[in-house]
Amino acid sequence: MGLRITELPEKTEVNLIGSNFNDTVLYLVRILQKLGKRVLIRDITGNHCMYNAISEIAGANPGRQIIDYSGVGYTFSLSETDDYDLTIRLYDADMYPFISGTTIIVTDESKKSADELYQQKWEMLTRDG
């Protein structure tokens, strides 16, 4: 029997690798919020692609602090915090997650994304069992 989303451990980390995943992330975050989870998005992508989907807040710097966007934390920073139940780290298709956690690949069907994902050494992310 698999782990149900309502049974998430107290602190959960998810690595999301790919491209064009803003809508997927926003839908997932809203579902998790409905389940009472506080979510932090760490945008580690090269161009901070998720920032396009978030209203810019005057005086806020997501590179140095966590900003609140409709009850969701958003940052480019890697500084630690215990204020959130679940952290979603966003990576480009040509990046590896550098911190443990569940890894999900979300991408479009473009050749560039497929080529980048194909070049990865996925054995590093798999475990026995």
Side-chain angles (χ1 to χ4, degrees), residues 51 56-62 64-65 67:
Y51 199 42
E56 190 170 329
I57 300 170
N61 181 349
R64 298 181 188 261
Q65 64 196 85
I67 60 173

Side-chain angles (χ1 to χ4, degrees), residues 22-64:
N22 288 2
D23 287 343
T24 302
V25 172
L26 293 174
Y27 292 136
L28 178 59
V29 165
R30 293 297 175 232
I31 291 168
L32 291 164
Q33 282 184 308
K34 293 286 184 189
L35 294 170
K37 304 296 180 189
R38 290 205 17 92
V39 180
L40 171 63
I41 299 171
R42 284 196 193 280
D43 191 344
I44 305 170
T45 60
N47 64 356
H48 307 301
C49 63
M50 192 73 192
Y51 199 42
N52 296 331
I54 295 175
S55 302
E56 190 170 329
I57 300 170
N61 181 349
R64 298 181 188 261

